[in-house]
Amino acid sequence: MKIQKTIGLLIISLLLTACGSVPITGRKQILLVSDSEVLSASLSQYSEYIKSAPLSTDKTKTAMVVRVGKKIAAATEAYLKQNGLGSEVANFQWEFHLVKDDQINAFCMPGGKIVVYEGLMKLVSSDDELAVVMGHEVAHAVAKHSNERMSQELVTQYGAAILSEALSTKSAAVQNIGNTVFGVGTQLGVMLPYSRKHELEADYMGLILMTMAGYNPEVAVGFWQKMSANGGATPEILSTHPSDANRIAQIQKYLPEMAKYKPASK
């Protein structure tokens, strides 16, 4: 009993010291993995993926991905610096790629590695619509949702009784979990399936990031409706996400707030 109590107190202490908060929303989260370990695990997966990924030969759409990506990246870094989070900027080494793949999908790995699939671009009719998706994906990285998910996996796989031991030499554990969490190249073909809480948070943060970048958040409702109605089937990007109706309803609630994030007119 005494050993169990000691382990319990150790775990509680560990979790308390690993508590962080999400930029913009302020939600508290448990982050058991260091930024450097998350970046290492994700970069390993991303590097393997991008080596074999067939890059698009569509110069116009590729330029669109790079253009929108750079603007959202700049707005993200500006926000972090203006809100006392300048040290976080060092975690991002931005890359923007359009991949020749018919999946309706996109992802942003920790570190700012953004990949958009050609299948998604078939539904995109403007920079504003692309910014809806890219803002959402960047928001996942800014909110450290992957770290949060990896932390949850550590607790689940190793259990409270041996968590402290696993974390004492956790590089190997993180790499093993990273292979599962990031999942690039699995049947999903995307990064991890986030929880509904993470998805709705990324929707909200993504709207703010795209608005700060100068894009029109009002297009988000119509874009997600178009995604939902595509071919009568749920696109891959929505498959592990909140219901379409719930997502759209939440976005409609967020939109009035976006006015305060619009860049000042020059």
Side-chain angles (χ1 to χ4, degrees):
M1 182 66 72
K2 183 178 293 185
I3 293 176
Q4 291 178 333
K5 184 176 180 181
T6 301
I7 291 175
L9 291 173
L10 180 61
I11 297 303
I12 291 172
S13 175
L14 178 64
L15 295 179
L16 288 175
T17 57
C19 186
S21 59
V22 178
I24 298 178
T25 69
R27 179 179 63 83
K28 297 298 182 183
Q29 57 185 171
I30 299 299
L31 304 175
L32 298 176
V33 187
S34 69
D35 288 340
S36 62
E37 288 176 304
V38 172
L39 292 173
S40 175
S42 65
L43 183 59
S44 174
Q45 289 286 301
Y46 171 78
S47 297
E48 287 301 311
Y49 169 78
I50 209 66
K51 284 178 184 176
S52 59
L55 298 182
S56 175
T57 57
D58 188 324
K59 294 183 179 180
T60 299
K61 290 183 178 178
T62 296
M64 184 179 184
V65 168
V66 174
R67 179 173 64 248
V68 174
K70 284 185 175 180
K71 287 188 68 174
I72 290 180
T76 298
E77 291 191 359
Y79 171 84
L80 293 172
K81 290 175 181 177
Q82 291 165 7
N83 288 272
L85 299 169
S87 60
E88 296 291 328
V89 173
N91 290 328
F92 294 97
Q93 300 295 322
W94 303 97
E95 289 185 23
F96 313 98
H97 294 290
L98 179 63
V99 168
K100 193 174 184 65
D101 192 310
D102 289 333
Q103 292 185 68
I104 300 174
N105 226 325
F107 63 82
C108 176
M109 300 289 277
K113 311 303 185 186
I114 298 176
V115 172
V116 179
Y117 293 167
E118 283 187 339
L120 175 68
M121 297 301 288
K122 294 176 182 178
L123 298 182
V124 169
S125 60
S126 67
D127 282 18
D128 290 313
E129 288 190 340
L130 180 57
V132 173
V133 176
M134 295 185 76
H136 172 96
E137 297 301 336
V138 169
H140 278 308
V142 172
K144 300 186 179 181
H145 286 158
S146 55
N147 190 329
E148 198 169 0
R149 176 63 183 275
M150 292 175 80
S151 299
Q152 292 166 352
E153 289 290 328
L154 277 169
V155 174
T156 299
Q157 289 191 26
Y158 290 92
I162 57 173
L163 180 60
S164 60
E165 181 179 350
L167 293 183
S168 67
T169 56
K170 67 180 182 295
S171 292
V174 168
Q175 287 295 334
N176 289 335
I177 287 176
N179 291 335
T180 301
V181 165
F182 293 115
V184 175
T186 67
Q187 74 249 17
L188 291 180
V190 292
M191 208 169 75
L192 59 92
Y194 292 105
S195 68
R196 292 188 178 188
K197 175 174 66 177
H198 287 165
E199 287 302 324
L200 292 176
E201 186 170 59
D203 280 345
Y204 174 67
M205 293 174 63
L207 287 176
I208 292 174
L209 294 176
M210 71 174 289
T211 302
M212 292 191 299
Y215 295 111
N216 177 16
E218 298 289 338
V219 307
V221 171
F223 179 72
W224 285 116
Q225 288 172 336
K226 182 165 53 174
M227 290 278 284
S228 176
N230 179 62
T234 302
E236 190 76 31
I237 197 171
L238 299 178
S239 62
T240 55
H241 296 41
S243 69
D244 301 348
N246 184 34
R247 156 171 269 146
I248 291 167
Q250 290 298 315
I251 288 173
Q252 288 173 324
K253 284 175 56 179
Y254 302 148
L255 285 176
E257 185 184 341
M258 296 304 114
K260 68 183 183 182
Y261 296 106
K262 290 182 179 179
S265 301
K266 294 182 180 180

